[in-house]
Every structure is written in structure tokens, then in C-alpha cells.
Amino acid sequence: SGLFEALEYLIDHSVDIIAFDGELGYETCIEFLEAISSDIENKETPLVIVTPIEEYCRFSALAASFNIISTLSSEHCHLQLANLLALLHKQIKSAKELRSELVQSETRSVIDPLTKAYNRYGAEDKFHALTAKYKAYQENFSLIIMDIDYFKKVNDTYGHDIGDEVLISIATLIQKSIRKKDALIRLGGEEFIVFISNADIYIASKIASNFRQAIEESRHSSKNLAITASFGVAQYRANEDLESLIKRADELLYKAKKTGRNRVVSI
């Protein structure tokens, strides 16, 4: 009965390994193995059978049909089982650490380490998600491209450390201003883009104007620098790729810079 009490527990729980006593009887063990193999939570769980020596070969033959990793003789099982459990625990720990590292690596790969904005890989992921929504629901979205005015002068005058502080300050300001469904991306250097979800060109232009004003009215870095930025705004067009959308917005940004900087230009 103890075997099936364990089975009731396993119905609602997953475990790292299952070890059971073959002395309960061959037919009983077969029923238990079949029940485990049909349990979603534990059908891949490693199994160990501890069996009397005279039944060793019979139980060992079951390994081909079930997820049995070891069959141990009950006369000499204690040290073997302890060693096996220690090895399995080490392997499980290593696998969990590896999965954690992979998750962190995937996160790092789409995040700019300086500003904590998305990088270019993150931009592509967000763009694909937004275009999928557009195709499914005709939900418009827009892209704002921003470039910090005279940023080279900041680096030349105060050094790159202060330049980095300015980048962090502006990225933080924008991150606090946008919605969760929007996304800030650092393209490189002092250039950023912002995806504005569910927004046409008029809404996105207003949001860009708010960014421009907030940047101008704030003071940035430990030097309390007055900084301005220029903006180009473009709305997504059906079947357009990311490069085309960025290029159209960048052309408008160039116009903003040519006509005096610290301004927003949209179509």
C-alpha cells in the first residue's frame, strides 16, 4: 500500500528521482511503473529499483521499457544509492544553473548594458510583435527617432564618462515617460528610437514633443548639463520592413537638425 500512497503523492508533485523496493513484488512494481509512465509530472523522472539478488536480472530487463536508470541489489544498495543520488543531485544542479545562465544571456543579448534600453536585437523583436498586431487588428504604430544635439561637444568638453551619464539620464527620463507596451531602443552612440504602440503619426508626434520638452527642461549628469535633442517621427506602413521605417524617420530627424535642432519633424 505504501507504493500507491507514494503514487497518490506523485500525481500532484514532481520530484527529481524515484527509488522503490522490488520486494513489493514484480507485478506490483509493473503496475507502479506503468502508472508513473502515464503521469505528465513524472514520466521523465529517473527511476531506481532496489531488488533482491534473485530478481536482479528480471527487474533489470525492465529498463528498456521504462525510465529506469539503475537497478541495485538490496544486499549492497545503501552506498550505491547514496552515490547515485549525490551524482544525480549534482547533475540537476548543473542543469538548473545552465538554464539560468541561458535565460540571463538571452536577456542580456537584447539589452543595452549602459542605458538598459533595448538594443538592435530587441528592436527587431518589438517590431515583429507590432507588425503582427497590425496585420491581425490593423493597429497602427509609430516610430520616433531621437538624436542628442551636440553630443560630441559634451564628450570633447567633459569626457566620455559624463557623456555616458547624459545617455543614462535621457534614457531613464524616456523610460519613465512611456507605457509598458511601448519600447525604447538605443541604436548606437547618442541615437535612440521609441516604438509607440497603438498610435498614429499625430499621437506619436505629440509624445515626441513631450520628450523634447522634458529633456530640455531637465538637467543631466553630475555636471547638471542643459541638453536638447532632435526628433523624427514616422508611422508604420503596411508591409514595410524595419530598415525602411527607420530610414524614413531618420530623414525627418535630419531635417530637424538642419532647421535648427531641438525640434520634432514628422510627415
Side-chain angles (χ1 to χ4, degrees):
S1 62
L3 202 59
F4 289 94
E5 287 177 4
L7 184 58
E8 288 182 8
Y9 173 85
L10 292 171
I11 289 172
D12 298 318
H13 300 81
S14 61
V15 296
D16 293 333
I17 189 170
I18 299 171
F20 60 95
D21 191 349
E23 290 189 354
L24 291 169
Y26 185 80
E27 298 301 327
T28 299
C29 288
I30 289 291
E31 290 182 44
F32 182 80
L33 289 168
E34 289 175 344
I36 288 295
S37 66
S38 63
D39 177 23
I40 294 175
E41 290 286 343
N42 289 289
K43 66 179 181 179
E44 301 296 334
T45 301
L47 299 164
V48 175
I49 300 176
V50 179
T51 177
I53 190 67
E54 62 270 16
E55 294 283 347
Y56 183 84
C57 291
R58 192 181 187 195
F59 277 104
S60 295
L62 295 174
S65 302
F66 302 99
N67 195 31
I68 298 170
I69 61 169
S70 185
T71 304
L72 305 178
S73 168
S74 55
E75 285 81 0
H76 308 289
C77 71
H78 300 293
L79 183 58
Q80 290 175 302
L81 186 57
N83 290 337
L84 182 63
L85 290 172
L87 176 62
L88 185 62
H89 177 73
K90 184 177 180 180
Q91 290 175 334
I92 291 169
K93 183 180 178 182
S94 297
K96 288 179 178 177
E97 289 174 350
L98 179 59
R99 283 196 297 269
S100 176
E101 288 175 5
L102 288 172
V103 169
Q104 291 177 10
S105 177
E106 288 174 2
T107 301
R108 286 194 297 268
S109 70
V110 298
I111 299 296
D112 172 53
L114 178 66
T115 63
K116 309 309 178 188
Y118 289 110
N119 62 17
R120 186 55 180 260
Y121 297 113
E124 291 171 356
D125 290 346
K126 185 65 175 178
F127 179 76
H128 291 315
L130 289 170
T131 53
K133 272 192 173 182
Y134 178 86
K135 291 175 182 177
Y137 309 111
Q138 293 299 297
E139 183 177 296
N140 290 317
F141 69 94
S142 297
L143 180 144
I144 299 170
I145 189 165
M146 179 197 80
D147 190 85
I148 301 171
D149 296 330
Y150 303 111
F151 186 70
K152 184 178 183 301
K153 185 176 180 180
V154 172
N155 281 332
D156 290 346
T157 304
Y158 301 101
H160 289 278
D161 288 344
I162 297 300
D164 286 348
E165 289 181 17
V166 169
L167 292 170
I168 293 168
S169 174
I170 290 176
T172 301
L173 187 155
I174 293 177
Q175 288 278 32
K176 290 179 178 178
S177 303
I178 60 178
R179 303 162 297 178
K180 287 185 177 180
K181 61 182 180 179
D182 301 329
L184 172 67
I185 294 97
R186 184 185 179 196
L187 283 184
E190 69 273 25
E191 196 167 49
F192 294 83
I193 62 174
V194 187
F195 284 117
I196 306 297
S197 304
N198 195 20
D200 60 20
I201 191 70
Y202 304 103
I203 295 172
S205 296
K206 176 62 177 174
I207 292 171
S209 294
N210 292 339
F211 291 161
R212 186 206 62 76
Q213 183 176 354
I215 291 169
E216 182 180 28
E217 292 177 352
S218 300
R219 291 298 174 266
H220 306 275
S221 83
S222 56
K223 297 293 185 182
N224 292 315
L225 300 178
I227 299 291
T228 62
S230 302
F231 299 82
V233 186
Q235 181 177 324
Y236 172 74
R237 295 172 180 170
N239 301 317
E240 184 173 32
D241 61 24
L242 179 57
E243 293 299 329
S244 172
L245 179 58
I246 291 176
K247 182 179 179 181
R248 289 197 296 114
D250 196 49
E251 288 171 354
L252 297 167
L253 170 64
Y254 179 76
K255 185 176 180 180
K257 286 189 168 290
K258 290 292 286 184
T259 55
R261 292 184 169 84
N262 191 24
R263 62 188 61 204
V264 175
V265 176
S266 59
I267 296 174

